[in-house]
Amino acid sequence: MSAIRVQTADFDPGEEIAKLGGAEGTTGAIATFTGLVRGDGGLIAMTLDHYPGMCESEISAHVAAAYTRWPLLAVRIVHRVGRLTPGERIVFVGVASAHRQAAFAACEFLMDYLKTSAPFWKLEEREAGSNWVEARAEDDASVKRWQSP
Amino acid sequence: MRADPLGRSSALRTGRHRHVKLLYFAWVRQKVGTSEEVVTPPASVTTVSALVDFLRQRGPGFEAAFANLKTVRVAVNQRHSGLDAAVGPDDEVAFFPPVTGG
């Protein structure tokens, strides 16, 4: 079972965790990541641009890849778009599995691919003006660890 | 050049209009000045690379957007692609900077 949403509205991490399951008795671990807007260097706001359709299909492809790699029971991903201010939630990745190793690993795997392949772009707004965030080499390096045999 | 699974190359030979839907995101959109358009490139345009050359001639905004191709990514029909990817009639081609979500 997986759910992928791209939306302007905020989300409730607690509600997402509850929906990851557990009541059926087979889930032993739920690992989640919640990303927030950091107010670094006088950041006023961050506006997320995205490619509707392709975002969902890219994320779905990596969720499918995660299911083939680890014994997962559920995955929920929420990514917000539009204008967000410091402290606001941007992204949620939640993974349920029987054991923690699979849940932790799949959560990191999905986050790494979300950052390097899902078509979202951040525009930072500061007193001095607006700038598009540049892709980070560290993010490309993070995703490479999943590509070695 | 990869084979077109939908056999769209036959449309090229019959000479019907080759509409290509273009989408631009982030600073690429700001430079070209539009988010979406439909163009009819000449029949010789069968790859992303040739499409970029065609677009570059359309004005300074396009020239600026495609000045350094190392900074531009492309998707054909919503899949990450390279400059050598095939482009056929009715394809959707998007140009954008490296992604920065998450």
Side-chain angles (χ1 to χ4, degrees):
Chain A
M1 184 206 76
S2 67
I4 295 160
R5 288 168 10 241
V6 176
Q7 61 188 41
T8 53
D10 191 15
F11 55 86
D12 177 355
E15 201 175 297
E16 298 302 326
I17 291 169
K19 286 182 179 162
L20 278 164
E24 79 299 319
T26 51
T27 301
I30 291 176
T32 71
F33 173 84
T34 304
L36 310 178
V37 178
R38 241 182 4 250
D40 284 0
L43 184 87
I44 297 165
M46 193 174 257
T47 300
L48 280 114
D49 189 8
H50 78 297
Y51 186 170
M54 184 172 166
C55 279
E56 289 84 347
S57 62
E58 272 296 313
I59 297 169
S60 297
H62 292 112
V63 167
Y67 269 92
T68 64
R69 224 169 148 139
W70 294 281
L72 306 182
L73 296 168
V75 173
R76 295 185 74 83
I77 296 180
V78 187
H79 204 302
R80 292 180 68 194
V81 292
R83 190 174 182 273
L84 303 171
T85 51
E88 284 197 79
R89 287 178 277 266
I90 301 187
V91 62
F92 177 90
V93 173
V95 178
S97 183
H99 300 287
R100 74 178 188 283
Q101 289 88 348
F104 276 135
C107 190
E108 280 205 82
F109 170 91
L110 289 168
M111 212 34 232
D112 285 347
Y113 275 100
L114 198 60
K115 276 195 163 292
T116 53
S117 87
F120 292 96
W121 302 272
K122 291 183 182 127
L123 179 68
E124 291 182 337
E125 204 180 303
R126 292 195 163 83
E127 201 82 30
S130 294
N131 281 298
W132 291 100
V133 172
E134 284 190 32
R136 297 163 70 238
E138 301 96 283
D139 292 335
D140 289 328
S142 290
V143 88
K144 283 209 172 75
R145 67 186 152 147
W146 306 109
Q147 291 158 0
S148 49
Chain B
M1 190 166 61
R2 74 177 157 81
D4 188 334
L6 300 179
R8 286 166 178 157
S9 59
S10 61
L12 281 178
R13 287 193 293 272
T14 60
R16 81 170 164 89
H17 288 303
R18 304 183 63 251
H19 300 304
V20 176
K21 183 180 179 183
L22 300 178
L23 300 174
Y24 309 101
F25 295 97
W27 59 253
V28 177
R29 178 189 64 232
Q30 292 178 326
K31 287 189 177 174
V32 304
T34 186
S35 59
E36 178 175 337
E37 62 177 332
V38 174
V39 297
T40 311
S44 59
V45 173
T46 57
T47 62
V48 171
S49 182
L51 179 63
V52 168
D53 289 339
F54 164 74
L55 293 173
R56 271 178 172 149
Q57 298 165 12
R58 297 172 73 221
F62 286 90
E63 246 173 70
F66 297 112
N68 180 3
L69 291 182
K70 285 191 177 131
T71 64
V72 179
R73 299 287 177 270
V74 60
V76 177
N77 298 324
Q78 306 200 356
R79 298 188 66 142
H80 289 293
S81 301
L83 287 171
D84 58 346
V87 175
D90 302 324
D91 276 348
E92 178 176 300
V93 183
F95 294 101
F96 44 78
V99 305
T100 56

